[in-house]
Amino acid sequence: MTTAKSRDVGYMSFNRLRIREDERDARAANATATIRNMNISVGQFAEIVKGSLRFSPHTEAEFAASFASAVFGKVVADSRQVKPGDVFWALKGAKHDGAAFVGEALRRGAVGAIVDQDVEPSDMQWVVRVEDSYQALVDWVAWKRRNFSGTMIAVTGSVGKTTTRQMIRTVLSRKFRGTASPRNYNNHFGVPLSMLQMESNHDYAVIEIGASKPGEIASLSKLCLPKIAVITQVGDAHLGGFGSRQCIAESKAELLEALPLDGQAILGDDPWLRVVTKKCGAEITWVGLGEECDLIAKDVRAEDGRLRFRVVAASDSRLATGTHFSVPVWGRHHVTAVLAAAAVGRLMGVDMTEIAAALEEYQPVPMRCEVRRLRGATVINDAYNANPTSMRAALELLHDLESSARKIVVCGDMGELGEESSALHWELGRQTVEVAQASIVIACGEFAQYVVGGARAAGISAPKAIACERVEDALPYLGQIVSPGDVVLVKGSRMMAMERVVEALERYPQRRSA
């Protein structure tokens, strides 16, 4: 329960963590010197990652010396994205070893490469040979973090991480310079690659952190060392790796253990999160719909592609009547992301009216509740990923849209659910009818039969519940089924690549009216 005392302490923490105007002025005045300190030479970089700097045997001594003293440049880990002047980092992934692409990267104009195999560079190029390219990446990012004076913000949760991260960046970019994880770079590769973008003149960095088993968030948190930690919600994602929601909640709370005592946690109003807050020594700001929260959304309405509500701050009498928000997103389930971004903005000294103005121009992330008109139908492209919690939210959105329209669900398997997979897919099928009131369900994947079984048990007729082993098998049905005026939800785990359904709808000719 949030007491008046805890709210007062929370308000004090807002003031304490705000970046004051004089601090920003001082940072701007020293920006040039700071940049010079962060942009170290290639030779210094080699020492930090415990590597050896090597050149072509044909490189003359004076050129080798100039290379060693040159400023270490922009790092790229995908050889296809290399541009002249970049540095290629050869990482070993599940499918490819970056060492095999060093030659391609150098031919594309990379000035150098970091690799854990013996590679001879061409003239006028260099290589830093390391024992382990991934460990070298961790060492380099750890060095950058130690020399980063901005506010580190880490975001995790079973659902809404990417949207929350992007909303935070939208709010902060109005007043500050900073960076955020690209796309969903949130695993043991993605987090350090995201941190490579930190610069000494940045006021903040927003890093997204994900996990599929216990211990992963703890490890990544030790690397990024957050000052502000955001946890959106505990859901059923990656049940196969965690085993239970309790274990998922405890794993998300690993982020809280990494906070310093003068840090701040921002938590969605989730009962599982309230259980695990003992792991947090820093102060907590709760966000949600309940009166026990510190930032509360009231009078929530989701209509016409906008989420509208008032934000009331329990600890701030100036916001007792609330600030009106109008955010261009589809669905009530985005409330937590908006409130979390607002909480971070306040901590960084952004006025609530400025926060609302920034989010009014928010650009939604592709394939996350992205609504389009195709073939006269309204298509909800939520194809990026799925778990039982996010599926339920998408079905509730479908229910809220155009109640008189015919509703179609095209869903793919939800991955990594372990022993609960069959039951949770059957429950998904039931919800397509009872929650979304779908008229037609097309399920794709290994568990499609369970989805169809749940839908039929909820009352949908057999011809209108279709199971397909592959997404490709479902595509021919789309041209026959989808008609102008329909509302179509497309969603599934990343492995299913359900965006192919949307692409098919783009290609198919418009159906003629009967």
Side-chain angles (χ1 to χ4, degrees), residues 126-390:
W126 53 263
V127 163
V128 172
R129 172 67 159 86
V130 295
E131 287 298 316
D132 184 311
S133 60
Y134 177 74
Q135 184 58 51
L137 176 64
V138 170
D139 291 343
W140 173 231
V141 167
W143 185 91
K144 291 198 75 170
R145 177 65 185 94
R146 289 193 299 271
N147 290 274
F148 179 67
S149 60
T151 301
M152 177 62 71
I153 305 157
V155 181
T156 192
S158 299
V159 293
K161 294 186 294 294
T162 299
T163 297
T164 301
R165 178 249 298 163
Q166 285 297 92
M167 286 188 176
I168 292 171
R169 185 174 195 180
T170 298
V171 168
L172 297 184
S173 63
R174 281 294 188 96
K175 294 185 70 172
F176 308 110
R177 291 171 294 192
T179 186
S181 300
R183 300 192 293 277
N184 69 325
Y185 273 30
N186 60 28
N187 62 10
H188 69 290
F189 278 119
V191 168
L193 288 174
S194 298
M195 293 175 67
L196 285 176
Q197 299 181 96
M198 298 185 308
E199 299 294 343
S200 57
N201 64 335
H202 284 168
D203 299 302
Y204 69 89
V206 188
I207 302 298
E208 181 179 327
I209 299 180
S212 57
K213 61 184 179 182
E216 289 183 338
I217 291 178
S219 175
L220 295 173
S221 298
K222 290 177 182 177
L223 184 62
C224 70
L225 297 174
K227 186 66 176 290
I228 300 174
V230 180
I231 307 180
T232 60
Q233 186 179 345
V234 174
D236 294 323
H238 305 293
L239 267 178
F242 290 106
S244 68
R245 273 206 179 191
Q246 176 67 38
C247 187
I248 294 173
E250 291 175 351
S251 296
K252 301 303 180 189
E254 292 169 2
L255 181 60
L256 303 180
E257 294 182 87
L259 283 174
L261 292 178
D262 63 345
Q264 180 77 28
I266 298 168
L267 306 180
D269 190 15
D270 185 304
W272 286 103
L273 289 179
R274 292 198 179 261
V275 171
V276 298
T277 52
K278 62 182 182 295
K279 293 191 175 186
C280 185
E283 292 164 4
I284 298 173
T285 299
W286 292 96
V287 301
L289 302 174
E291 293 298 324
E292 301 301 317
C293 293
D294 301 295
L295 278 186
I296 308 168
K298 293 182 176 292
D299 304 328
V300 178
R301 292 176 293 127
E303 54 192 12
D304 301 325
R306 281 198 172 265
L307 181 62
R308 297 179 173 89
F309 54 87
R310 289 184 300 117
V311 176
V312 175
S315 62
D316 193 340
S317 60
R318 295 171 299 173
L319 299 176
T321 58
T323 302
H324 290 275
F325 278 67
S326 176
V327 187
V329 292
W330 293 82
R332 296 170 181 265
H333 58 285
H334 289 104
V335 165
T336 297
V338 175
L339 291 175
V344 172
R346 291 190 74 203
L347 289 174
M348 296 287 286
V350 186
D351 183 80
M352 191 65 87
T353 56
E354 293 180 274
I355 294 170
L359 289 176
E360 191 164 357
E361 300 177 5
Y362 170 72
Q363 297 294 319
V365 181
M367 294 197 297
R368 289 171 173 84
C369 288
E370 182 182 13
V371 178
R372 303 173 59 188
R373 296 285 293 181
L374 294 173
R375 304 179 75 248
T378 300
V379 179
I380 306 171
N381 181 0
D382 202 17
Y384 191 82
N385 215 340
N387 59 55
T389 304
S390 65

